[in-house]
Amino acid sequence: MALYLQRLGRFSYRRRGLVLALWLGVLLVAGAGAATLSGPTVNGFTMPGTESQRALDLLEERFPEAAADGATARIVFATPDGSPLTTQRWQDAVGSVVSSLQGTAAVATVADPYQGRISEDGSVGFAQVTYSVAAADISDEARGTLDHAIETGRAAGLTVEAGGEAVQEAGAHGASELIGLGVAAVVLFITLGSLVAAGLPLLVALVGVGIAVSSIIAATGFMDLSANTPTLAVMLGLAVAIDYSLFVVSRYRQELARGHGRQDAAGRAVGTAGSAVVFAGLTVAIALVGLAVVNIPFLTEMGVAAAFAVLLAVVVSLTMVPALLGFAGARIHPRRSRADQSGDSRGRHLPSAPTRARRWVTWVTRHPVAVLVATVVALGVAAIPALDMRLALPNDGAAAPDTSARKAYDLLSDNFGTGFNGPLTITVDTRSTTGTPVADPQAVADAIGAEISRLDNVATVRPAQVNAAGDTAILGVVPETGPSATETADLVRTIRDLPSPDGAEVSVTGTTALAIDVTDSLGDALLTYLLVVVGLALILLCLVFRSVLVPLKAIGGFLLTVVASLGVVVAVFQWGWFAGPLGIEGQTGPITSLLPVLIIGLVFGLAMDYQVFLVTGMREQHVHGARPTEAVISGFDHGARVVSAAAIIMISVFAGFILSPEILFKQVGLALALGVAIDAFIVRMTLVPAVMALLGRSAWWMPRWLDRVLPNVDVEGTRLVDHGSPAQAAPDGLAPELSGSPAGYAAVIRQSDGDHADTGPVGSRPGR
């Protein structure tokens, strides 16, 4: 594979104008598609195969007037002075709001606050607005009518707040990306020492993410996609595109320093670092596409879209980076490397002082047992809070305290009870087993309602309604606890276990029940997902490293990273540690049930990035004959600085999402930032070299039969072809001994600013 990638890199460098034009053309086409073909995104979700989804489908078929799967909005009214809402002034104001919504587009029903929806002290009431369509299908006109009605109530002097999926909008994440890009730019400049070199990965990332997100937005015109799908693609696309480009640029400069011409250096960079990029990207994509195992459509869509963004980042990095390197010329180097240098250079051939990375890894390999024990204990302690993790889907109670949705949620909780924010819908199918409706479906439904009212944790049971055909009934149940409480989930399961009179089938549905089913499904699928992702990645890593123990070690380190990351997330978002500094005061509570699955998938993919980039350097030294510990130290020394920069960039991109208004992305952002930090600096740069030192030569052991079966992908680039060997004479009459010096190196860079450098060397190999 390395040989094919080398040819791709050389072609992209040589035909750089064509390659750049093609990518910009793709970006324009994708942007035009997003502008002309896009459709609405979806805030809700479906859960095929669950009881709650079957009940919704039943109501859609037999009881369409109930609009059970339609979007809802809860409009909460509160008087400013605590006076009763029944006062004529406030009654007129509330009536004007309700009447302005009744009969308008897409509104199925509006429940009047004065029909049993006033608090005990009379100062707070709420109207339930049910739409005949899902939130994504509500027109701008209907949303405008809702907003106008709310403003009408506020203008009359009432406090009016609104929550529910009908008024939810995806928050803007622009500040998150800008912060991440800003930090990435600084880190790239410090690492590469050149504005051009630092800007190149950013440009590649923007083009790749632009194409990916525009394509996803265009796809919304043909399929229903979650409103959060583009956000996950942006989050991962930015991070991996910058990292992958950084690895290729860094390797390109290493090849130049070894004396290769620019075109050959571009080819060798893509053939070596590009091979690691391909396998790292495939590992991330496997983890993301593996989300399909969970069998939740919107999660599968998010995973596939993010995998598309990652794979696109791989292709862009392997083609656009060498093309831009061709345009950059000598400007890819720091200015001091291009400046004229004079004076005696003989002293410049003295060995350079050991780097901080070399000193660190040398110390680690001298004390491997102590390092291994210390890191495992530290990560184990960080993981302890994960034992107390509670899972639930986010609702308005997890919104930012200053939002209208959160204010409406709090008003209902304080004046009616938290259960009013998570009502349950009970469906009664009176012909499920008999084939024909029972003689008195109303009596059957009332009997079921009476049985439910006697259960613990039930606040109220609303009277049953029977459809015109007399074969289906619905009841409303309000729990005493909130939608995220474990007691509410227990109540749902208790109702589902109740015996059904006269052969009727009782089901529980609604937004709260659907969220509980999602949480249960995610928990049931977690182990299967972990086994599938880890199993596929294990095969991939065996291909890369030609080893059995190195992939197993990589997966063990990943598991430590995941449990430690989840432990810290629980301490912050569930226990409230550091909630103030992180800006999440008032938003603590259960962990989003999607988080463990997302973190397993995303952190696994990203962790394998650093494993591939760092350990392939060690394997490269091993293949070329270095002793085990020397291979670890040398490979670590060559890759640590770039891996550190890449990790800091990823951490900054992910940490920026803590500023997101949505609790899901706050938690995902913190968990990913922690996961990358723990994995890169504690696991890969501390635990890995310690374990590699302990394993010695056995680290690279593989059974002979397996070695014969697995294809050799040559990540180390041992089969690469030299085009213009460093052993050739220095260009333009430059003395060979001078070409190895800094002055000669700078002179070659100046002389080879154009295409001349494509066929000539830049300097000599170190030590020649």
Side-chain angles (χ1 to χ4, degrees):
M1 186 179 71
L3 186 59
Y4 295 109
L5 290 177
Q6 181 189 33
R7 293 171 182 171
L8 177 63
R10 287 177 57 82
F11 172 83
S12 300
Y13 184 96
R14 187 172 61 252
R15 304 299 298 274
R16 46 190 173 269
L18 174 63
V19 171
L20 185 59
L22 286 175
W23 279 119
L24 293 179
V26 172
L27 179 61
L28 289 175
V29 170
T36 57
L37 302 175
S38 63
T41 55
V42 179
N43 285 320
F45 51 86
T46 59
M47 276 294 299
T50 61
E51 178 178 316
S52 54
Q53 188 62 51
R54 289 195 299 269
L56 286 176
D57 295 339
L58 176 72
L59 291 177
E60 184 178 3
E61 175 188 351
R62 300 189 194 172
F63 215 146
E65 61 270 23
D69 59 345
T72 59
R74 289 182 298 277
I75 304 177
V76 185
F77 306 92
T79 59
D81 55 1
S83 59
L85 272 174
T86 52
T87 303
Q88 191 61 46
R89 174 191 175 188
W90 304 131
Q91 198 164 350
D92 292 341
V94 171
S96 65
V97 173
V98 172
S99 61
S100 65
L101 289 171
Q102 289 174 333
T104 58
V107 172
T109 60
V110 181
D112 194 322
Y114 296 101
Q115 296 179 357
R117 293 176 175 84
I118 302 292
S119 63
E120 289 185 4
D121 66 358
S123 63
V124 178
F126 71 96
Q128 181 93 359
V129 183
T130 303
Y131 289 83
S132 58
V133 296
D137 299 322
I138 298 177
S139 65
D140 292 338
E141 178 185 358
R143 291 187 186 278
T145 300
L146 178 61
D147 293 339
H148 177 72
I150 293 171
E151 291 303 325
T152 298
R154 290 172 177 170
L158 285 170
T159 296
V160 185
E161 307 295 348
E165 61 267 25
V167 294
Q168 289 176 347
E169 296 181 1
H173 301 277
S176 306
E177 288 92 350
L178 290 177
I179 291 173
L181 284 174
V183 175
V186 173
V187 173
L188 287 169
F189 178 71
I190 294 173
T191 304
L192 299 174
S194 163
L195 286 175
V196 172
L200 192 149
L202 293 176
L203 178 60
V204 171
L206 290 175
V207 171
V209 170
I211 294 172
V213 173
S214 296
S215 301
I216 293 169
I217 293 174
T220 60
F222 306 93
M223 62 184 73
D224 292 334
L225 294 179
S226 167
N228 294 324
T229 299
T231 304
L232 186 62
V234 169
M235 179 187 290
L236 285 177
L238 271 179
V240 300
I242 293 174
D243 276 12
Y244 295 167
S245 301
L246 172 61
F247 286 119
V248 175
V249 171
S250 177
R251 186 59 184 247
Y252 170 75
R253 299 208 313 186
Q254 289 179 15
E255 296 297 336
L256 287 179
R258 291 172 179 170
H260 292 282
R262 290 204 182 114
Q263 185 179 138
D264 192 29
R268 295 184 68 86
V270 174
T272 52
S275 296
V277 165
V278 169
F279 281 99
L282 285 175
T283 307
V284 178
I286 286 173
L288 291 167
V289 175
L291 290 171
V293 173
V294 182
N295 196 31
I296 298 178
F298 80 92
L299 194 58
T300 301
E301 294 162 3
M302 291 174 65
V304 171
F308 168 69
V310 170
L311 293 177
L312 186 63
V314 171
V315 178
V316 173
S317 300
L318 297 181
T319 54
M320 190 172 173
V321 169
L324 291 176
L325 289 172
F327 285 111
R331 292 183 296 276
I332 198 68
H333 300 281
R335 182 179 296 275
R336 63 180 177 272
S337 297
R338 306 195 303 266
D340 290 336
Q341 299 186 37
S342 59
D344 187 3
S345 62
R346 287 173 293 183
R348 301 179 189 272
H349 292 283
L350 294 174
S352 58
T355 63
R356 284 191 294 269
R358 178 173 285 273
R359 289 196 296 269
W360 168 253
V361 73
T362 300
W363 182 86
V364 168
T365 55
R366 287 176 179 171
H367 309 86
V369 175
V371 169
L372 175 62
V373 172
T375 52
V376 171
V377 169
L379 294 176
V381 170
I384 289 175
L387 298 173
D388 187 42
M389 183 167 57
R390 293 186 295 111
L391 299 176
L393 280 186
N395 49 59
D396 288 346
D402 59 347
T403 61
S404 183
R406 176 60 182 274
K407 292 175 181 177
Y409 184 96
D410 291 342
L411 281 170
L412 284 177
S413 297
D414 294 342
N415 293 275
F416 295 90
T418 55
F420 274 79
N421 286 293
L424 306 175
T425 300
I426 312 300
T427 66
V428 182
D429 181 1
T430 59
R431 68 175 187 185
S432 61
T433 58
T434 62
T436 57
V438 298
D440 192 348
Q442 184 70 57
V444 171
D446 290 342
I448 292 172
E451 182 69 20
I452 293 174
S453 66
R454 289 191 287 269
L455 297 176
D456 293 336
N457 197 35
V458 174
T460 60
V461 178
R462 300 193 182 280
Q465 300 178 28
V466 180
N467 67 344
D471 58 5
T472 307
I474 58 173
L475 303 89
V477 174
V478 177
E480 293 179 350
T481 51
S484 300
T486 55
E487 293 84 355
T488 303
D490 292 338
L491 175 62
V492 169
R493 299 184 186 102
T494 301
I495 294 174
R496 287 173 172 171
D497 291 338
L498 288 176
S500 302
D502 298 328
E505 182 177 347
V506 178
S507 302
V508 186
T509 187
T511 303
T512 301
L514 198 58
I516 292 170
D517 286 343
V518 169
T519 301
D520 291 343
S521 297
L522 287 168
D524 294 340
L526 193 60
L527 181 58
T528 302
Y529 173 64
L530 182 62
L531 292 175
V532 169
V533 170
V534 169
L536 291 174
L538 187 62
I539 297 172
L540 202 61
L541 291 174
C542 285
L543 280 173
V544 175
F545 297 121
R546 315 297 300 178
S547 165
V548 173
L549 296 179
V550 169
L552 290 175
K553 168 189 60 63
I555 291 170
F558 150 73
L559 294 175
L560 286 173
T561 297
V562 167
V563 294
S565 300
L566 289 176
V568 177
V569 169
V570 168
V572 171
F573 285 95
Q574 188 173 306
W575 293 358
W577 293 8
F578 307 106
L582 291 173
I584 57 172
E585 284 184 307
Q587 292 183 270
T588 56
I591 303 303
T592 302
S593 53
L594 300 175
L595 190 69
V597 169
L598 286 176
I599 295 309
I600 285 175
L602 301 183
V603 170
F604 181 79
L606 299 175
M608 293 308 103
D609 277 5
Y610 302 121
Q611 175 75 13
V612 169
F613 289 126
L614 201 59
V615 181
T616 49
M618 300 176 187
R619 174 164 176 78
E620 187 173 348
Q621 298 298 318
H622 169 74
V623 168
H624 288 90
R627 288 178 299 195
T629 303
E630 290 177 352
V632 172
I633 294 174
S634 183
F636 185 95
D637 188 33
H638 289 162
R641 187 165 185 261
V642 177
V643 169
S644 297
I648 293 172
I649 289 170
M650 275 203 178
I651 292 167
S652 63
V653 171
F654 295 144
F657 282 83
I658 298 174
L659 301 176
S660 168
E662 298 178 30
I663 193 66
L664 170 62
F665 286 103
K666 284 181 180 290
Q667 293 181 359
V668 171
L670 178 62
L672 287 180
L674 283 170
V676 170
I678 292 171
D679 195 84
F681 297 111
I682 298 179
V683 174
R684 305 303 155 190
M685 292 193 179
T686 305
L687 191 62
V688 165
V691 175
M692 295 291 287
L694 287 172
L695 292 176
R697 292 189 182 278
S698 62
W700 308 110
W701 172 81
M702 174 178 279
R704 290 184 179 179
W705 66 267
L706 185 59
D707 189 50
R708 289 193 299 268
V709 171
L710 294 178
N712 189 353
V713 296
D714 189 27
V715 175
E716 302 82 21
T718 56
R719 300 177 184 175
L720 295 183
V721 178
D722 277 336
H723 300 269
S725 169
Q728 292 176 353
D732 293 341
L734 187 66
E737 63 273 13
L738 182 59
S739 68
S741 69
Y745 179 67
V748 173
I749 293 174
R750 293 196 307 275
Q751 292 173 5
S752 57
D753 193 24
D755 287 339
H756 171 78
D758 294 349
T759 57
V762 175
S764 63
R765 289 188 188 270
R768 289 190 67 87

